[in-house]
Amino acid sequence: MSNLNTEMVEKYRNNFLQEVTANVEEGEWVKMCMQCGVCSGSCPLGPYWDHPPQELFMMIRAGKREEVLTSSSMWMCTSCYNCVARCPRGLPITHIMHGLAHYADRLGIAPKGQQTRKFANLFWDNLTKTGRVNELRLGISLYFMNGFAAGVKKALSMAGMGMGMMKTKRLSPMEYFGGHSIKDKKGLQAILKKAKEIELAKEQKF
Amino acid sequence: MAKKEYSFYPGCSSQKAASASNYQTSVASMCDELDIQLNEIPDWNCCSASIGFAGGGELPRLALSARNMALSEQAHPDQDIVATCAACWLATKETQERLHGDDALMEETNQALAEGGLKVKANQNVRHMVEVLIEDFGYDELGKHVTRPLEGIKIAGYVGCQTNRPFGIDGESFENPKYLDKLVETMGADPINNYDKKVSCCGGALAFSEPEKSQALIKDIIESAYDGGADMIVTPCPVCQLNVEAYQDHINAKYNTKFNMPVVYYSTLMSVAYGKDAKQAGLDGQIIKAKQLEEIAGK
């Protein structure tokens, strides 16, 4: 268990709702859910959630901390906003799912092999490096995120699509060497560093 | 009409040799015909789309879009920000909404931006390109520029998610928006009726991390277009376009289907209808060739 996780367990003993309200993006909305289930019924990947959003909200209120944070459920969110558009109480469900996923990731207790967790981290690392996404490098790191042998197999199965993209000039092998970037990388990284500091300091105050 | 200028946020996928570079090509041709000048936001950065959330917390992600808005305010203070990518538009517009809804967040964001020598007010309108077309031009005006109507082509208007929810376009319904069908009609083509996967999700970024689950969604989107008698699909979103076009081989292999459905952008249709040639319309960027459009563009 990570230190941060232990720290949070002790700090919020038995009050997971309060912990979510304090530490999760848009977490203060969780208490507004009235359990109608429209979100769960509207989700394109609904059948694959161990606990659909409405259930997660009830579990948070019931203090099921470990079950919620170690779940792969919120990693199934495709950010389609169907639940947000339909929720009769106007909960920003997509953002709460992103917030829960981020929090679980930061505490180090999100499921280890979860594919979207891996990909979402790769995406963030890729974009913060140069300020813009390098699609070729992102693609390659995606193929190899489950190890070398799996990567070769995946890369071969995707070769046709890759060739199609290259032929139509929508992917360039040259991107591997540098590629797209902003000029003020230092400035951007300083901004992101400060933003993270502010966010963590705020959490401490709660 | 006088020249219209906008502060333009093109986004990562529209860059040279990136996955939606063909979108950018057709947008440039369309704007040329409509006398729209797109002034690129200098040194813009990625918005982190809807998938940066594992590594990036709320404030760092908001700071990404805030930096773009700050740069836009410096360079083109009197212009609306316009994005062609659904995710870019959504992230920027959401950031604006959040910053104005929460004074503390605005202050924190500016504290972060100060590290890069920037400051944001976030007062510029944040708009999608289709809003510019519909609101600043209107269907009638857009129709006046048509020199080669796309007669006889049946098109499924796949609106997808993020140009539709949560903000919507032109006040239309989230469940059955009509703007794409109206644009298709304005270009002289036939929109298919009752396209029941019009606002369904293609999996978005999860097409990469959950390919099987996403391809099942994509299969339904294509199948429904065939069921409606469509010759091709049109979309306003780079991720929708990529996902629905590029995985058809994989889907055919898995589901024993024979999909071969071109997927184009609204700007592709408009460029062809406005008399641009195949290259200007970005038709060489189709993995699945849009032959009917190529024929019209070649006349």
Side-chain angles (χ1 to χ4, degrees), chain A residues 23-25 49 56 68-77 93-111 114 116-117 120-121, chain B residues 50-57 61:
Chain A
N23 296 346
V24 171
E25 180 171 352
W49 293 56
L56 286 177
V68 170
L69 293 176
T70 59
S71 169
S72 69
S73 295
M74 51 275 193
W75 299 96
M76 293 293 153
C77 173
I93 302 169
T94 303
H95 306 95
I96 304 170
M97 294 307 124
H98 293 174
L100 283 171
H102 174 74
Y103 190 54
D105 185 82
R106 199 152 59 78
L107 294 176
I109 55 174
Q114 219 292 330
T116 301
R117 179 190 185 190
N121 271 303
Chain B
S50 301
I51 195 66
F53 59 80
R61 278 183 285 127

Side-chain angles (χ1 to χ4, degrees), chain A residues 24-26 44-45 48 74-86 92 95 97-99 101-103 105-106 114-117 119-121 123-125 127-128 131-135 138 142 145 154 157-161 164-165 167-172 175 180-188 190-192 194-196 198-199 202, chain B residues 12-13 15-22 40-61 63-64 67 90 94 98 105 108-109 111-118 161-162 165-166 174-175 199 201 203-206 208-211 213-214 216-217 238 241-242 245-247 250 265 284-287 289:
Chain A
V24 171
E25 180 171 352
E26 304 281 3
L45 291 187
Y48 303 106
M74 51 275 193
W75 299 96
M76 293 293 153
C77 173
T78 65
S79 310
C80 79
Y81 287 75
N82 217 5
C83 53
V84 176
R86 290 178 179 172
H95 306 95
M97 294 307 124
H98 293 174
H102 174 74
Y103 190 54
D105 185 82
R106 199 152 59 78
Q114 219 292 330
Q115 299 292 290
T116 301
R117 179 190 185 190
F119 179 60
N121 271 303
F123 192 93
W124 180 256
D125 295 345
L127 84 91
T128 50
R132 293 183 189 174
V133 166
N134 183 315
E135 291 177 344
L138 181 66
L142 167 76
M145 73 184 183
K154 177 84 180 166
S157 79
M158 298 304 285
M161 177 178 163
M165 295 295 283
K167 265 193 235 159
T168 53
K169 299 196 173 66
R170 290 164 61 183
L171 184 66
S172 163
E175 275 286 289
H180 299 302
S181 170
I182 64 169
K183 289 192 200 89
D184 188 19
K185 279 187 276 195
K186 265 198 183 142
L188 177 71
I191 290 169
L192 293 175
K194 184 72 182 175
K196 193 171 176 182
I198 296 171
E199 198 159 84
K202 211 163 61 170
Chain B
C12 300
S13 67
Q15 298 176 101
K16 195 159 178 270
S19 57
S21 50
N22 52 331
E40 189 168 326
I41 297 173
D43 213 35
W44 57 266
N45 53 261
C46 173
C47 70
S48 91
S50 301
I51 195 66
F53 59 80
E58 182 181 11
L59 196 59
R61 278 183 285 127
L64 285 173
R67 180 178 177 274
L90 175 60
E94 263 185 356
R98 294 256 195 115
L105 206 54
E108 288 158 12
T109 304
Q111 269 176 34
L113 286 183
E115 296 291 310
L118 294 168
C161 299
Q162 295 193 347
R165 297 179 296 261
F174 295 131
E175 307 291 344
V199 295
C201 180
L206 271 66
F208 299 102
S209 53
E210 297 282 2
K213 297 180 181 73
S214 301
L217 300 176
Q241 197 284 336
L242 177 65
E245 183 189 35
Y247 294 104
H250 287 241
Y265 295 103
D284 54 355
Q286 296 298 131
I287 299 172
K289 298 293 171 204

Side-chain angles (χ1 to χ4, degrees), chain B residues 231-245:
Chain B
D231 300 314
M232 63 184 72
I233 293 174
V234 63
T235 174
C237 169
V239 176
C240 294
Q241 197 284 336
L242 177 65
N243 282 351
V244 178
E245 183 189 35

Side-chain angles (χ1 to χ4, degrees), chain B residues 51 57 60 74 80 111 131 142 167 199 220 225 255 260 270 292:
Chain B
I51 195 66
Q74 276 181 1
D80 290 350
Q111 269 176 34
E131 292 184 291
L142 296 173
F167 294 113
V199 295
D220 288 350
Y255 293 96
N260 190 33
M270 292 175 70
Q292 288 155 297

Side-chain angles (χ1 to χ4, degrees), chain B residues 150 152-156 184 189-192 228-233 261 292:
Chain B
L150 310 177
I153 307 181
K154 296 195 188 70
I155 304 178
V184 164
D190 301 322
I192 67 161
D231 300 314
M232 63 184 72
I233 293 174
M261 174 76 76
Q292 288 155 297

